Amino acid sequence: MISVRQALSLIQKHTVTPVATEVHIEQALGQVLAKDILSPIAMPPFTQSAMDGYAIRLSTDPKYKVIGESKAGDNIGYEIKKGEAVRIFTGAVIPEYTDTVVIQEHVEIKGNNIFITKLPAKGANIRLKGEQLSKNDLVLTKGHKINEASIGLLAGLGVQKLKIFQTPKTGILVTGNELQVAGTPLIAGKIYESNSVMLKSALKRNGFGNTNIYNVRDDISYTNKVIKKALSENDVLLISGGISVGKYDFVREALLSNSVKEVFYKINQKPGKPLWFGARDKKRVFALPGNPAASLVCFYIYVLPELRRQKGFTNRDLKISSGKLSRAQENRSGKSLFLKAKVNNTSVEILDGQSSAMLHSFSQANALVLIPESKKIIEEGEKVEYLELGYE
Ligand code: AMP
Ligand code: MG
């Protein structure tokens, strides 16, 4: 059985290089830029007023004659002479030979003339052409995660399309004869199916929407057929259940007969020991244990980092932090443990209910504590590392 570290490095070794695609800026939020963007224009595109006031050529004489008006959007072509002013508003073109804008609060108006009551500094209240960006300046670099400010910046430069890294298409295939869809009273012997909607939500929260869902009975030929279809329709396939060693666990066999090469099977960890990972061309398959908490742990630890790599991210989204254990914890299993925990400031409380079938403790947690396989006991107050789940 391989270790957590080995499993992570095998997945990384088999990573699929991100693929660039062109999208409209409206589709770019949260995506990773696949190519540097150079500014197609200067920003601002012309020298403009930053305030409402009067554009002047500054002199020692406080009196100026107002010869016209320039509002945002106008392009009148005034040429100012000494002692003249143009009434001007924020965003309007600065007339030729103007060097300063005096704000309207600092003038007195007498007929066609203004008298400056508080002398501005030369160059005040003017945004120079290109002061933010010159034409062909580097605006955003490859690898930048597009946020709403970047979208505004690009829109202001007239950029409509940009190259981002594609989001891999994800599918979830759920196995189990015992699974019943919610909506009708539970039949004896059945359980409500919960992994598909849980994993779909985890994908969605992390920017992987539009997941395809497939359901199969514990039947080898049916499992074979649906895996074939799911592989043709997705880049990364998550499978829930059917990967243990029971008589009715057919997922491994079905994956192998669909030519998915096994990279590893089983990790020395708790929960999530039976995790299976395989590759076929550019397709990747994670067969997750059916137990809900184990499934979700494997998602955060193994699936999400690979999905993010494929999307062009170079950092992991869920941060690893450290805190002090509030109660001593034993680890007699010789396995790596992922424990649901509640972190308060720096105090880390391991929650009750760590079984791989239990989601109640998971829903109350905000962290997964990482206990190394070699660590037999962690004392109260000892430092532990944990993955921040991002739950609020
Ligand atoms: P398996 O990995 O198929 O052996 O399933 C392990 C445990 O997880 C069993 O108790 C299953 O009933 C349960 N389980 C499997 N798939 C799901 C699912 N989609 N939703 C909820 N529980 C599941
Ligand atoms: Mg099963």
Side-chain angles (χ1 to χ4, degrees), residues 187-204:
I187 298 165
K190 307 274 183 193
I191 58 164
Y192 288 125
E193 195 281 300
S194 59
N195 285 351
S196 63
V197 69
M198 173 182 73
L199 294 169
K200 188 178 173 180
S201 305
L203 286 166
K204 188 174 168 194

Side-chain angles (χ1 to χ4, degrees), residues 334-370:
K335 297 177 191 298
S336 295
L337 303 183
F338 300 108
L339 302 173
K340 288 144 259 174
K342 189 96 193 168
V343 177
N344 240 326
N345 296 321
T346 58
S347 169
V348 181
E349 182 200 353
I350 308 287
L351 299 175
D352 289 337
Q354 292 293 334
S355 149
S356 59
M358 293 180 179
L359 282 181
H360 184 252
S361 53
F362 220 137
S363 71
Q364 307 299 312
N366 60 7
L368 272 184
V369 171
L370 318 167

Side-chain angles (χ1 to χ4, degrees), residues 65-87:
K65 184 179 173 210
V66 180
I67 60 156
E69 184 182 280
S70 177
K71 59 184 184 299
D74 287 350
N75 187 18
I76 296 170
Y78 293 110
E79 285 182 20
I80 282 208
K81 295 191 202 70
K82 195 165 173 244
E84 289 182 345
V86 163
R87 177 74 170 118

